[in-house]
């Protein structure tokens, strides 16, 4: 019998690596063939024009030339193209002072540029240029930006660059560093052999690293900018200053091809009319200093009392109360080249009633136009996002041990109270900024990551210049290539507020002399804490193709307030996180542990990793949590693109899947609970869902009975779910909770997710 039922996906076969290897080789061969044909096609076209003959005759002539010269078709094709376009080779000594051989073969370099031009993406083209021609010249990274209509530079491709650093340089606004503006305005390369001066920030491992900024042009028009980066300062002699521009020239054609818009791209006004929230465009006429309302969509017209009130009018007339705010946001959006936000602008009048502009967003749409988006009622997801951003205090870091480069996000600089242009500090050198009493914890974390090659977490006190330490949680993961440690990546989280809250609560409890009074206070605090952190279910608009409901029932006895929790969270990549858990024990410790685990899982889920990896990280968080709690949990990620549910369990109860009126338990992997052992591995299960399925996730308070085993309680729940018949998910969770067979008076969490 097969090991997997109709509800679950199975594992792969042991011949999968061989199949992947064969497909990889076939793909490489196909790409080589495309490159060869691209170069020979260019040469054939040149011969057809010169000899005034047909393409087939020109191709035969190319073959005869190759045979007579005892060369390959690719080599003779490179010679022909070089003869027309100019040779890429220059006369130079055969080697550099460091002993690396320079590329002086014009054929080889022409083949490299032809190969880059034939690649399917700008990043692949950049990688071909770097590995085929630039790396022998000492270059370690290549960046390619496209020049947009608004004057911004948009990163289209890169090679030799980490993902985190690339995300930080996704856009360069018109107010770019001076070397960038000089290269674009003069149309000539800018060479920085000794790096950049203070105040000019550019991508690279350090300020002293040599760089070359090269404007990219197609048919005389500027289309973008290339940046070549060396690992350290370099001479950048004549050989380099001729070869690098010649090699990178082809990148302009790559950017031009990538920037071509589809022929059927809809107009901006049509796109705004499709939105469900108010939107409008503001236009600045040539020579005019103010903005005019150009177009409003139907939702904006309704909110503002009719399109005739604002369309075609100056912004001062259309929005007398907020025109200064909108004008300022429009200026910043066009100058900086990216989105500007405001939580709320004063009310504008729609007839007799005020219509406030909430969650206002202004983004550039060309040199003289901006788009304004807003809501007339608070958007829960936007508000929650702002609240989470304030509370979590998360910041990312990445240490590249190969290049010696460390990358921080903007929030990381804030945590360590360092200026944005300061050099980021690698994790291994953080000891001088950590309180001496916490040095051992930091050293243990580094030992786990560097020597044991496993993820680790620790809480340390960071010493800052503004006085007083900050309590920072560090979660780090090794980056491995085969068995070689190539880097460290992770998250810093400022938990100072949580620490001070805990201290304040402890001080309050110490002042209570009566044991019963202390118990009552603790119970009230836990109840308030539970009520405050029970998450709201996202709206249907935030859950693609899903409807969801959840319930939490506190324990019956006051002294048995527990640690049950649940969460449903849409993620930035389109997937949906679903989780339930149960921290062992009752009281304030369990409740605070519940808060820590739920918030930690939320922060970890945005990394995009699979449920098994998330469980491993959550286990490390549990091991280092105050009080050393243990917990059971199940974590699932649902992908709406293929309706596949991937999930992992840490000693938790099975899931219950209801399909076409029949209920079935999805048995979890038999993995250990959280906080029991360091570094366990958590197996993942895959379940294919279909339209109409309902998935139930719950804690043991729903089914556990004092004198019966869990199997009887689970079977009773399955039968009850089948007997409910058709109903909404809200009705389903209410009926299941009302008919629960559990009699232990424990707290209970229950969520239901239905497809469609």
């Amino acid at each position: 019998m097969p090991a997997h039922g109709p509800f679950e996906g199975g594992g792969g076969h042991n011949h999968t690596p061989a199949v992947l290897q064969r497909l990889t080789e076939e793909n490489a061969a196909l790409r080589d063939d495309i490159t060869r044909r691209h170069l020979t096609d260019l040469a054939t076209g040149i011969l057809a024009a010169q000899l005034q003959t047909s393409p087939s005759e020109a191709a035969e002539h190319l073959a005869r030339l190759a045979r007579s010269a005892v060369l390959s078709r690719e080599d003779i094709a490179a010679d022909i193209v070089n003869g027309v376009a100019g040779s890429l080779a220059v006369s130079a000594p055969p080697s550099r002072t460091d002993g690396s051989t320079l590329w002086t073969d014009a054929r080889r370099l022409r083949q490299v540029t032809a190969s880059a031009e034939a690649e399917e993406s700008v990043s692949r083209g950049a990688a071909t240029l770097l590995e085929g021609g630039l790396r022998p010249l000492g270059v370690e990274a290549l960046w390619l930006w496209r020049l947009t209509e608004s004057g911004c530079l948009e990163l289209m491709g890169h090679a030799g660059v980490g993902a985190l650093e690339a995300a930080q340089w996704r856009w360069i606004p018109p107010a770019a560093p001076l070397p960038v503006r000089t290269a674009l305005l003069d149309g000539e390369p800018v060479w920085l052999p000794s790096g950049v001066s203070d105040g000019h920030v550019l991508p690279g491992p350090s300020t002293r690293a040599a760089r070359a900024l090269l404007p990219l042009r197609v048919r005389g028009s500027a289309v973008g900018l290339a940046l070549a980066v060396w690992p350290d300062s370099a001479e950048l002699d004549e050989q380099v200053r001729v070869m690098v521009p010649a090699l990178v020239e082809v990148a302009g054609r790559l950017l031009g091809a990538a920037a071509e818009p589809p022929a059927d791209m809809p107009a901006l006004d049509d796109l705004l009319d499709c939105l469900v929230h108010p939107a409008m465009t503001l236009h600045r006429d040539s020579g005019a200093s103010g903005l005019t309302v150009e177009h409003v969509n139907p939702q904006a017209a309704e909110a503002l009392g009719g399109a005739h009130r604002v369309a075609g009018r100056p912004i001062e007339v259309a929005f007398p109360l907020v025109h200064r705010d909108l004008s300022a946001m429009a200026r910043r959006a066009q100058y900086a080249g990216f989105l500007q936000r405001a939580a709320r602008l004063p009310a504008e009048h729609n007839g007799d009633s005020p219509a406030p502009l909430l969650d206002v967003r202004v983004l550039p749409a060309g040199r003289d136009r901006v788009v304004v988006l807003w809501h007339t009622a608070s958007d829960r997801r936007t508000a929650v996002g702002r609240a989470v951003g304030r509370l979590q205090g998360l910041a990312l870091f990445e240490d590249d041990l190969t290049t010696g480069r460390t990358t921080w996000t903007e929030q990381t600089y804030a945590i360590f109270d360092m200026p944005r242009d300061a050099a980021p500090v690698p994790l291994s050198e953080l000891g001088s900024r950590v309180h001496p009493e916490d040095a051992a914890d930091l050293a243990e974390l580094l030992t786990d990551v560097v020597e044991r090659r496993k993820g680790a977490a620790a809480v340390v006190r960071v010493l800052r210049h503004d006085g007083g330490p900050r309590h920072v949680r560090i979660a780090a993961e090794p980056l491995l290539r085969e068995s070689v440690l190539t880097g460290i990546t992770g998250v810093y989280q400022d938990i100072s507020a949580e620490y001070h809250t805990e201290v304040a609560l402890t001080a309050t409890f110490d002042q209570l002399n009566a044991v019963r009074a202390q118990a009552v206070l603790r119970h009230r605090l836990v109840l308030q804490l539970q009520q405050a952190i029970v998450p709201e279910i996202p709206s249907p608009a935030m859950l693609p193709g899903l409807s969801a409901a959840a319930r939490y029932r506190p324990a019956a006895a006051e002294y048995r307030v527990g640690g049950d929790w649940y969460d449903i969270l849409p993620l930035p990549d389109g997937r949906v996180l679903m989780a339930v858990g149960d921290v062992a024990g009752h009281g304030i410790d369990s409740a605070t542990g519940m808060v820590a685990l739920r918030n930690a899982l939320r922060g970890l889920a945005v990394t995009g990793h699979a449920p098994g990896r998330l469980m491993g990280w959550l286990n490390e968080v549990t091991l280092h949590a105050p009080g050393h709690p243990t917990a059971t949990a199940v974590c699932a990620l649902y992908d709406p693109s293929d309706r596949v549910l991937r999930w992992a369990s840490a000693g938790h109860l099975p899931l219950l899947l209801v399909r076409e009126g029949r209920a079935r338990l999805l048995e979890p992997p038999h993995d250990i609970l959280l906080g029991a052992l360091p570094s366990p591995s958590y197996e993942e299960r895959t379940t294919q869902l279909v339209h109409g399925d309902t998935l139930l996730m719950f804690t043991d308070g729903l089914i556990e009975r004092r004198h019966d085993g869990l199997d009887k309680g689970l079977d009773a729940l399955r039968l009850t779910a089948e007997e409910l018949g058709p109903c909404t998910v809200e009705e389903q969770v209410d009926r299941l909770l009302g008919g629960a067979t559990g009699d232990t008076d424990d707290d209970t969490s229950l969520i239901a997710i239905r497809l469609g």
Side-chain angles (χ1 to χ4, degrees):
M1 294 292 291
H4 300 277
F7 292 96
E8 299 183 59
H13 300 285
N14 53 17
H15 62 268
T16 299
V19 174
L20 293 177
Q21 177 66 23
R22 177 173 59 81
L23 291 175
T24 301
E25 293 173 354
E26 291 178 356
N27 183 53
L30 181 61
R31 290 176 57 195
D32 290 342
D33 181 62
I34 292 174
T35 299
R36 288 193 297 269
R37 285 194 285 110
H38 179 68
L39 186 57
T40 55
D41 287 348
L42 287 175
T44 299
I46 293 171
L47 289 176
Q50 291 178 340
L51 302 177
Q52 296 184 346
T53 184
S54 67
S56 60
E57 292 174 339
E60 293 177 359
H61 185 67
L62 178 67
R64 288 196 297 273
L65 288 176
R67 287 194 298 270
S68 63
V70 196
L71 293 172
S72 67
R73 287 165 59 92
E74 293 75 30
D75 285 345
I76 199 69
D79 289 346
I80 292 171
V81 176
N82 280 335
V84 174
S87 175
L88 288 174
V90 296
S91 59
S95 62
R96 299 179 65 86
T97 56
D98 62 1
S100 61
T101 303
L102 279 173
W103 293 105
T104 57
D105 186 349
R107 293 171 185 155
R108 171 60 180 159
L109 295 183
R110 179 60 65 186
Q111 290 168 0
V112 169
T113 58
S115 177
E117 193 170 8
E119 292 289 3
E120 60 188 16
S121 69
V122 179
S123 285
R124 281 188 176 273
T128 299
L129 291 174
L130 179 64
E131 300 303 328
L134 294 175
R135 197 174 293 281
L137 297 172
V139 177
E140 73 165 9
L142 177 64
W143 301 73
L144 299 176
W145 288 275
R146 176 180 70 91
L147 184 63
T148 67
E149 290 186 1
S150 62
C152 299
L153 290 172
E154 179 186 8
L155 184 63
M156 301 296 291
H158 53 80
V161 177
L164 183 59
E165 187 177 13
Q168 289 183 298
W169 290 95
R170 177 76 170 82
W171 293 94
I172 297 180
L178 180 61
V180 173
R181 299 200 301 272
T182 301
L184 290 174
L185 292 175
D186 295 346
E188 297 291 336
V190 174
W191 303 95
L192 304 170
S194 301
V196 293
S197 58
D198 294 339
H200 296 154
V201 181
L202 286 175
S206 65
T207 56
R208 66 176 182 274
R211 297 167 175 83
L213 292 147
L214 305 111
L216 302 174
R217 310 181 75 84
V218 174
R219 293 185 291 276
S221 299
V223 296
L225 183 75
L227 172 66
V229 182
W230 281 257
D232 208 334
S233 58
E235 184 179 351
L236 304 188
D237 54 22
E238 181 182 358
Q239 173 84 10
V240 171
R241 298 189 182 213
V242 174
M243 298 277 285
V244 171
L247 283 164
V248 172
E249 180 187 12
V250 70
R253 295 192 288 278
L254 289 173
L255 293 179
E260 292 179 1
D264 58 350
M265 178 176 288
L268 177 60
D269 292 352
D270 295 335
L271 291 175
L272 296 185
D273 289 345
C274 296
L275 300 178
V276 298
H277 296 297
M280 65 180 175
T281 54
L282 303 179
H283 182 261
R284 191 188 308 276
D285 293 327
S286 178
S289 59
L291 291 164
T292 300
V293 179
E294 184 178 50
H295 175 77
V296 294
N297 72 350
Q299 288 72 21
E302 180 181 355
L304 298 170
H308 65 280
R309 291 179 175 268
V310 293
R313 296 173 179 262
I315 191 174
E316 295 87 349
V317 177
F319 295 92
L321 299 181
V322 300
H323 70 89
R324 289 189 176 87
D325 299 293
L326 289 175
S327 297
M329 294 175 69
R331 284 195 302 271
R332 291 196 298 270
Q334 290 192 302
Y335 182 75
F338 47 79
L339 181 72
Q340 303 295 313
R341 296 179 182 269
R344 187 183 189 279
L345 296 182
E348 291 291 346
H349 284 273
N350 169 12
D352 298 327
S353 60
L357 276 62
L358 303 174
D359 298 326
V360 181
R361 289 144 291 164
V362 179
L363 61 157
R367 297 184 185 275
D368 303 313
R369 183 177 284 104
V370 296
V371 173
V372 182
L373 309 171
W374 75 93
H375 296 149
T376 54
S378 294
D379 180 81
R380 181 178 290 109
R381 182 173 183 178
T382 304
V384 170
R386 288 197 302 265
V388 170
R390 294 187 181 101
L391 294 175
Q392 298 301 317
L394 293 174
L396 306 179
F397 73 92
E398 183 176 310
D399 297 342
D400 189 330
L401 303 183
T402 304
T403 63
R405 180 186 307 170
T406 293
T407 305
W408 280 2
T409 59
E410 183 176 350
Q411 293 83 355
T412 317
Y413 287 92
I415 286 179
F416 289 94
D417 190 33
M418 292 172 57
R420 182 66 180 82
D421 57 353
V425 181
L427 182 64
S428 60
E429 300 176 13
L430 205 62
S432 61
R433 295 180 175 271
V434 169
H435 194 285
E437 295 179 1
D438 298 336
D441 294 335
L442 178 62
E444 181 64 21
L445 180 144
L446 286 169
T447 300
D448 284 340
V449 175
V450 176
E451 298 182 9
R452 302 187 182 109
R453 303 289 201 273
K454 68 174 187 177
V459 176
V460 300
R461 286 165 289 177
V462 172
L463 304 177
R464 296 168 30 127
H465 297 298
D466 58 1
R470 305 292 292 179
H471 291 75
V472 176
R473 178 182 289 119
I474 307 173
E477 283 290 318
L479 298 176
L480 303 173
R481 183 173 298 160
E482 295 180 351
S483 60
V484 178
L485 182 68
T486 61
I488 303 173
T489 188
V491 177
Y492 295 117
Q493 183 182 21
D494 188 343
I495 60 170
S496 302
E498 298 176 25
Y499 172 80
H500 293 304
T501 300
E502 183 178 346
V503 171
L505 286 173
T506 302
T508 301
F509 295 152
D510 290 342
Q511 296 173 4
L512 300 176
N513 298 321
V515 175
R516 182 168 180 80
Q518 185 183 50
V520 170
L521 178 59
R522 287 170 66 90
H523 170 69
R524 289 176 179 173
L525 289 172
V526 171
L527 283 180
Q528 292 172 0
L529 181 62
Q530 287 175 327
Q531 293 167 359
I533 61 86
V534 168
E536 290 192 46
I537 298 300
S539 66
M542 299 165 59
L543 297 174
L546 301 175
S547 56
R551 297 291 185 267
Y552 172 77
R553 184 180 65 189
E558 291 189 353
Y559 63 92
R560 288 182 57 79
V561 174
D564 281 18
W565 56 275
Y566 68 85
D567 206 0
I568 302 174
L569 178 68
L571 299 177
D573 62 5
R575 296 182 297 171
V576 179
L577 169 71
M578 312 168 190
V580 295
D582 184 0
V583 177
H586 300 85
I588 188 69
D589 293 334
S590 296
T592 54
M594 163 190 62
V595 176
L597 293 190
R598 189 178 72 83
N599 286 346
L601 183 57
R602 279 198 157 203
L604 294 169
V606 300
T607 63
H609 282 276
R613 179 67 274 188
L614 297 181
M615 277 298 196
W617 283 337
L618 199 60
N619 182 68
E620 295 299 321
V621 172
T622 310
L623 287 171
H624 293 85
H628 305 290
T630 58
T632 66
V634 59
C635 168
L637 290 175
Y638 170 73
D639 191 342
S641 65
D642 56 6
R643 293 180 174 175
V644 169
L645 184 81
R646 292 177 172 82
W647 54 287
S649 176
H652 202 76
L653 297 171
L655 312 183
L656 184 66
L657 183 59
V658 182
R659 175 176 295 171
E660 297 179 351
R662 300 297 302 275
R664 171 179 178 154
L665 293 170
L666 302 182
E667 286 300 328
H670 298 291
D671 288 334
I672 195 165
L673 74 167
L674 301 173
L677 292 174
S679 304
S681 60
Y682 289 93
E683 180 185 351
E684 292 181 12
R685 294 285 170 88
T686 302
T687 303
Q688 179 66 58
L689 302 179
V690 299
H691 185 84
D693 281 355
T694 300
L695 184 73
L696 298 173
M697 305 168 71
F698 48 91
T699 56
D700 56 7
L702 186 68
I703 54 97
E704 188 177 16
R705 297 184 62 83
R706 291 186 176 89
H707 305 295
D708 290 331
L710 289 176
D711 290 343
K712 288 187 178 181
L714 290 170
D715 193 59
L717 177 65
R718 181 182 60 80
L719 294 175
T720 302
E722 290 182 346
E723 293 168 358
L724 290 180
C727 60
T728 67
V729 288
E730 295 285 345
E731 294 171 336
Q732 189 175 35
V733 293
D734 285 336
R735 293 179 186 177
L736 288 174
L737 200 59
T741 61
D743 64 356
T744 60
D745 295 334
D746 200 0
D747 54 343
T748 300
S749 289
L750 168 65
I751 64 175
I753 305 287
R754 180 173 298 165
L755 273 67

